[in-house]
Amino acid sequence: MPSRRIPDLRALELKGLEPSRDANLSMVDNLYKIAESTTIETANWYLQRRISPSRKSKFLRAAAAISIIIGAVLPLIHSVAPSLIQAEWGFVFLALGGGAVLFDRTFGFSASWTRYVRAGLALQRALANSQIDYVKIYVGINPDSPSSSDIASLIQVVTQLREATNAIVEDETVSWVGYLNESVEELTRSTTRSSPTSPQIKNDERELR
């Protein structure tokens, strides 16, 4: 019987506040619902996006671990039973393990997985704090005749939520761009180190010396 994936913990909308007949307060409340909905959709997007890289990351890490273990055990088996298997096969499996790790680092599956989870949780935390702040102010005012300072305080909560959401998304994007550049540079260095030097180039280097 296939196992079911445990559902993610999703952020919830703020409900149960007394509706207001004041036009200004109703407008602010609608603004907060828009900001709240945007934050929830963004957090859910990150949590949904992390599923694919998490599976690929787990597969590559398992493949790397198994390959390295086999590569380390094969020389021992060869020492006990030389006719059973050649010790050189251990290097093959070690290379496969290293290739799986390099593949993961190049395409950033593990990094994307952790980055998406971190961004989703940060958005949920920002939303929860904002909902608490909004309720603290809302329950202390008269919904039908709020003061200008009350309206300003609620608008400040809305602004903080929008700024926190944008900051988290921007930080995640900057991290993604930085990791992408590092991966390209690392792949270029690996390719340069592994490319053989032709005999003609070696002869030219000797002549220059």
Side-chain angles (χ1 to χ4, degrees):
M1 180 178 180
S3 59
R4 295 182 179 179
R5 191 177 67 87
I6 299 176
D8 297 320
L9 297 175
R10 302 286 182 173
L12 301 177
E13 296 181 357
L14 182 62
K15 297 181 180 180
L17 295 179
E18 181 181 354
S20 173
R21 291 191 295 269
D22 183 80
N24 292 331
L25 184 56
S26 297
M27 184 182 301
V28 174
D29 196 42
N30 289 332
L31 286 176
Y32 183 79
K33 290 179 180 178
I34 294 173
E36 181 186 50
S37 177
T38 301
T39 304
I40 292 176
E41 291 178 1
T42 307
N44 291 342
W45 183 87
Y46 278 114
L47 294 178
Q48 182 66 29
R49 289 278 296 179
R50 67 108 171 82
I51 296 177
S52 177
S54 70
R55 292 173 178 172
K56 295 174 182 177
S57 172
K58 291 175 183 177
F59 173 78
L60 290 173
R61 287 186 297 161
I66 294 173
S67 299
I68 292 173
I69 292 173
I70 294 175
V73 171
L74 285 181
L76 300 178
I77 298 177
H78 175 75
S79 64
V80 176
S83 61
L84 184 61
I85 191 171
Q86 296 296 321
E88 287 76 9
W89 279 103
F91 296 104
V92 175
F93 280 95
L94 291 176
L96 290 175
V101 174
L102 179 60
F103 192 88
D104 181 33
R105 287 184 56 85
T106 301
F107 291 94
F109 296 127
S110 295
S112 298
W113 175 20
T114 56
R115 198 174 61 247
Y116 290 151
V117 171
R118 185 171 62 249
L121 294 178
L123 288 167
Q124 289 184 347
R125 182 171 59 254
L127 177 62
N129 294 334
S130 176
Q131 289 173 337
I132 293 174
D133 293 338
Y134 196 83
V135 170
K136 285 181 179 179
I137 299 173
Y138 201 96
V139 297
I141 66 177
N142 185 350
D144 296 329
S145 59
S147 64
S148 58
S149 61
D150 294 332
I151 296 296
S153 298
L154 293 175
I155 292 177
Q156 181 65 24
V157 174
V158 177
T159 303
Q160 290 175 351
L161 178 59
R162 294 302 298 266
E163 291 178 349
T165 301
N166 293 336
I168 293 170
V169 174
E170 182 179 356
D171 180 68
E172 190 278 329
T173 304
V174 171
S175 298
W176 173 76
V177 173
Y179 186 87
L180 180 62
N181 293 333
E182 291 177 0
S183 299
V184 173
E185 293 176 359
E186 182 177 355
L187 182 61
T188 302
R189 289 194 298 268
S190 300
T191 305
T192 304
R193 287 196 299 266
S194 61
S195 59
T197 305
S198 63
Q200 181 63 37
I201 294 178
K202 292 182 178 180
N203 292 333
D204 293 341
E205 290 178 352
R206 294 194 188 98
E207 292 177 359
L208 291 174
R209 293 175 184 174

